[in-house]
Amino acid sequence: MRLLTYQFQDTTRLTPEWLVTVQERVNEALHPALPGRWTRVEDPCVPEEFVLHFLARILDETDQVISPHSIKYLSHRGLPYKAQTQKISYRLYDLVALQCALEEQKTIQLCQSAAFRHHEKVQTAENRKKLSMKEKIERMKASANVRYSERTELPTSRSSLVVSVGEGRSTREAEIIYWPSLYDVSKRCKFQLRFFIQKCDYQ
């Protein structure tokens, strides 16, 4: 397979904006306005070396065997239209390896879990700094006599990116899909990253 013979290239040759865009879209999938479900982000036209480097980076960060889960020949009904083209799928159950590959761009970090109060992101009790009495008084003064209540910061929902083996038929893998033969002239490919977002609403 191409992945097994792929050699790491100088990462400065890889456009960091591509990974930043993918990372930002993965993080935005946690937004409470979106339902908890299988989610897919994609780039319809990306240099194939970017995708191969991304896969090789994951391979370097995990002990799992990263080989094609499926190779299919099927029609692509979007643009560019193909009556038959190749679709290659890789499955990953290691969240740390996925995180390392995504964070290679070093601009933004992967947000694995986030708490929200309605649509606003808030800190939870386990990671929120506990205010001293003096700090609470200063905060009350700064809020122009509006009574400060810790309850206003209690989350109403939590969203989490889940990548694991799962239980029974409830699989929770991350899936990297790419279509290497869609473009005849530009030699680019279509990239898709599929993952599961779990949502929990608090009463």
Side-chain angles (χ1 to χ4, degrees), residues 110-174:
L110 176 66
C111 184
Q112 299 181 21
S113 181
F116 297 87
R117 180 164 182 81
H118 306 302
H119 285 184
E120 296 296 324
K121 193 173 182 179
V122 297
Q123 290 184 317
T124 54
E126 58 266 22
N127 60 16
R128 183 171 60 229
K129 178 184 176 183
K130 190 171 183 178
L131 300 178
S132 66
M133 184 58 67
K134 182 178 179 180
E135 289 172 325
K136 288 182 180 181
I137 292 173
E138 292 298 325
R139 187 165 181 171
M140 289 175 66
K141 289 180 179 178
S143 62
N145 297 323
V146 176
R147 184 176 179 181
Y148 171 72
S149 172
E150 291 187 353
R151 183 171 178 79
T152 61
E153 293 191 358
L154 290 178
T156 56
S157 66
R158 174 179 286 278
S159 304
S160 303
L161 168 63
V162 181
V163 178
S164 65
V165 176
E167 297 181 5
R169 299 179 64 182
S170 299
T171 60
R172 293 294 181 263
E173 72 278 354

Side-chain angles (χ1 to χ4, degrees), residues 66-194:
I66 306 298
S67 59
H69 173 74
S70 68
I71 301 176
K72 297 180 180 179
Y73 292 86
L74 67 171
S75 63
H76 186 267
R77 298 185 180 277
L79 293 176
Y81 176 81
K82 292 286 185 180
Q84 188 177 70
T85 189
Q86 190 179 49
K87 175 184 176 183
I88 305 176
S89 168
Y90 297 83
R91 288 191 175 182
L92 174 69
Y93 301 91
D94 187 342
L95 179 56
V96 174
L98 178 63
Q99 179 178 5
C100 290
L102 287 171
E103 291 183 353
E104 189 176 19
Q105 36 77 29
K106 303 185 185 305
T107 301
I108 56 176
Q109 295 182 334
L110 176 66
C111 184
Q112 299 181 21
S113 181
F116 297 87
R117 180 164 182 81
H118 306 302
H119 285 184
E120 296 296 324
K121 193 173 182 179
V122 297
Q123 290 184 317
T124 54
E126 58 266 22
N127 60 16
R128 183 171 60 229
K129 178 184 176 183
K130 190 171 183 178
L131 300 178
S132 66
M133 184 58 67
K134 182 178 179 180
E135 289 172 325
K136 288 182 180 181
I137 292 173
E138 292 298 325
R139 187 165 181 171
M140 289 175 66
K141 289 180 179 178
S143 62
N145 297 323
V146 176
R147 184 176 179 181
Y148 171 72
S149 172
E150 291 187 353
R151 183 171 178 79
T152 61
E153 293 191 358
L154 290 178
T156 56
S157 66
R158 174 179 286 278
S159 304
S160 303
L161 168 63
V162 181
V163 178
S164 65
V165 176
E167 297 181 5
R169 299 179 64 182
S170 299
T171 60
R172 293 294 181 263
E173 72 278 354
E175 187 174 18
I176 299 98
I177 305 166
Y178 88 107
W179 307 64
S181 307
L182 274 183
Y183 299 91
D184 298 324
V185 178
S186 66
K187 303 303 180 184
R188 302 217 167 190
C189 67
K190 178 178 178 179
F191 167 85
Q192 297 173 308
L193 177 62
R194 176 177 169 269

Side-chain angles (χ1 to χ4, degrees), residues 5-21:
T5 59
Y6 181 79
Q7 299 295 320
F8 269 113
Q9 301 182 26
D10 182 0
T11 56
T12 59
R13 294 184 61 240
L14 300 178
T15 307
E17 287 79 6
W18 177 70
L19 269 181
V20 171
T21 301

